[in-house]
Amino acid sequence: MTTEITITTPDDWHLHLRDGAMMEGVLPHTARDFARAIIMPNLVPPVVTGAQAAAYRDRILAALPEGMEFEPLMTLYLTEATDPADVRAAAASGLVKAVKLYPAGATTNSDSGVRDIDKVRGVLETMAEIGLPLCVHGEVTRPEIDIFDREAVFIDEVLDPLRRATPGLRVVMEHITTAEAAAYAAEGGDDLGATITVQHLMLDRNDMLVGGMRPHYYCLPILKRGTHRPKLVEAATSGSPRFFLGTDSAPHPQHKKEAECCAAGCFTAPVALACLAQVFDEADALDKLDGFVSQHGPRFYGLPVNTGAVTLTKGDPVDLPGSVETGAGPVAVFDPGRAVHWQVT
Ligand code: NCD
Ligand code: ZN
């Protein structure tokens, strides 16, 4: 039985840090285990321009505790008014590593997102030309589409036509949750990647809804039927370079999660690596963990792999932190609802 593994220092290819007091509270929990992260731009107001991304990056670095190292990889929030020249300049300077497409209304703070894809064709063509990846929140928002079907419908109706219409565009299917998305990503070429979260590898909708409704498991895209989870685990542990970690760690103050209309998002950052080691161990695929968390992401983004290393050890079930205190109030930490035997040492 393997009781210790050492992997290359990982990165998180989809992270919400927020801003201000919340950011100060959650940032150390990512910086402790991850060297870099793709920082989501869905602040209020969103990070739309290169100048806004530069200012946000400065605020993140200023909030980093003394002695910790962490590199925020900035993104721009795509709107119908995004200027292709600004995107080009922000990418050329090295500041911005991706642009994020939120269909308007799909998730937390997505009101400024895209309603009509035709309005952003110019930006997408510029991105294809310069090789800047598009991170896609892949859900349709038409009210008649069932929330559990929104991802699968998006692939057929939006993503596939978009990729065909924009040859060369590098696309990351963010936080995939379905067998359909895993299959689509697996068949893609080098210009396609897909991130998977910790919660979608560990839970399905029964965990959220049977025996009472658990708001801390409510995230978007929503947890799916139990048949999908094994397909996601299969993809993550396959060794395919298309798949890499994006935790989508999305902190909300506890009172906003435990509310009549609860905010979407799971705060997984403090326990992400331990949980992933557990998942990969259960799948008898610990040898694939390094690829998923440390190798495939940098390869897709054209960045060097980290040089450091992280060791995880296996023993008795570990006590996971229940919550983290922040200046914006306590934030409940993701509880996978089962024993986790691994910890970062
Ligand atoms: C994210 C958030 O809270 O910003 N929430 C979530 O459920 N994942 C937004 C997102 O990535 O969809
Ligand atoms: Zn997200």
Side-chain angles (χ1 to χ4, degrees):
M1 185 179 73
T2 311
T3 56
E4 184 178 296
I5 54 164
T6 297
I7 56 173
T8 310
T9 304
D11 303 303
D12 183 350
W13 300 95
H14 181 133
L15 176 67
H16 299 270
L17 280 181
R18 315 301 188 201
D19 212 344
M22 175 63 88
M23 174 173 71
E24 262 177 56
V26 300
L27 174 61
H29 295 279
T30 286
R32 192 194 62 205
D33 290 342
F34 297 92
R36 301 171 290 197
I38 284 277
I39 309 299
M40 285 296 125
N42 63 332
L43 304 182
V44 189
V47 180
V48 173
T49 64
Q52 288 166 342
Y56 185 28
R57 183 175 186 276
D58 289 346
R59 295 199 297 281
I60 296 170
L61 291 175
L64 194 62
E66 276 287 313
M68 278 192 139
E69 277 183 41
F70 176 70
E71 189 185 353
L73 307 172
M74 307 311 291
T75 62
L76 298 179
Y77 184 122
L78 182 60
T79 74
E80 292 177 3
T82 295
D83 175 5
D86 185 55
V87 172
R88 189 186 286 273
S93 73
L95 168 73
V96 156
K97 297 291 191 275
V99 171
K100 175 76 187 229
L101 166 65
Y102 287 104
T107 189
T108 314
N109 305 336
S110 61
D111 296 346
S112 319
V114 175
R115 288 184 167 74
D116 178 0
I117 276 283
D118 285 331
K119 300 231 168 78
V120 297
R121 297 265 177 223
V123 180
L124 299 180
E125 270 152 31
T126 298
M127 291 170 63
E129 184 198 322
I130 64 180
L132 187 67
L134 180 72
C135 295
V136 177
H137 183 110
E139 291 193 286
V140 291
T141 55
R142 286 206 312 285
E144 68 273 22
I145 306 292
D146 190 276
I147 188 169
F148 292 99
D149 299 333
R150 289 178 169 202
E151 180 175 284
V153 172
F154 183 90
I155 295 169
D156 291 340
E157 286 191 1
V158 183
L159 181 63
D160 195 59
L162 177 96
R163 292 184 62 234
R164 286 175 197 279
T166 326
L169 182 64
R170 302 179 63 68
V171 171
V172 185
M173 300 170 69
E174 300 276 80
H175 41 50
I176 62 166
T177 63
T178 56
E180 289 87 341
Y184 185 83
E187 285 160 15
D190 284 347
D191 57 357
L192 189 62
T195 60
I196 311 181
T197 76
V198 174
Q199 68 267 22
H200 292 103
L201 290 171
M202 298 190 93
L203 304 176
D204 63 49
R205 65 190 189 182
N206 272 11
D207 297 300
M208 179 175 62
L209 297 172
V210 173
M213 205 163 70
R214 293 178 179 75
H216 294 288
Y217 290 164
Y218 176 66
C219 65
L220 291 171
I222 199 159
L223 293 170
K224 300 297 190 298
R225 178 183 283 277
T227 46
H228 293 279
R229 195 185 65 86
K231 298 292 183 191
L232 300 175
V233 173
E234 200 180 294
T237 59
S238 66
S240 162
R242 302 283 169 270
F243 300 102
F244 39 95
L245 174 66
T247 64
D248 194 16
S249 180
H252 293 276
Q254 196 144 347
H255 71 272
K256 293 213 169 155
K257 292 293 294 178
E258 296 168 7
E260 192 181 29
C261 179
C262 105
C266 300
F267 177 49
T268 51
V271 297
L273 279 191
C275 286
L276 288 169
Q278 184 68 34
V279 168
F280 278 64
D281 190 6
E282 287 168 12
D284 208 7
L286 280 170
D287 60 322
K288 300 292 196 303
L289 184 62
D290 188 58
F292 182 68
V293 301
S294 308
Q295 309 286 337
H296 304 164
R299 187 188 305 184
F300 180 87
Y301 276 90
L303 294 170
V305 168
N306 293 317
T307 49
V310 167
T311 297
L312 290 121
T313 53
K314 182 180 185 179
D316 292 334
V318 290
D319 284 331
L320 301 176
S323 72
V324 159
E325 289 302 326
T326 77
V331 180
V333 176
F334 176 70
D335 170 6
R338 56 179 149 132
V340 170
H341 291 265
W342 288 88
Q343 60 185 317
V344 180
T345 46

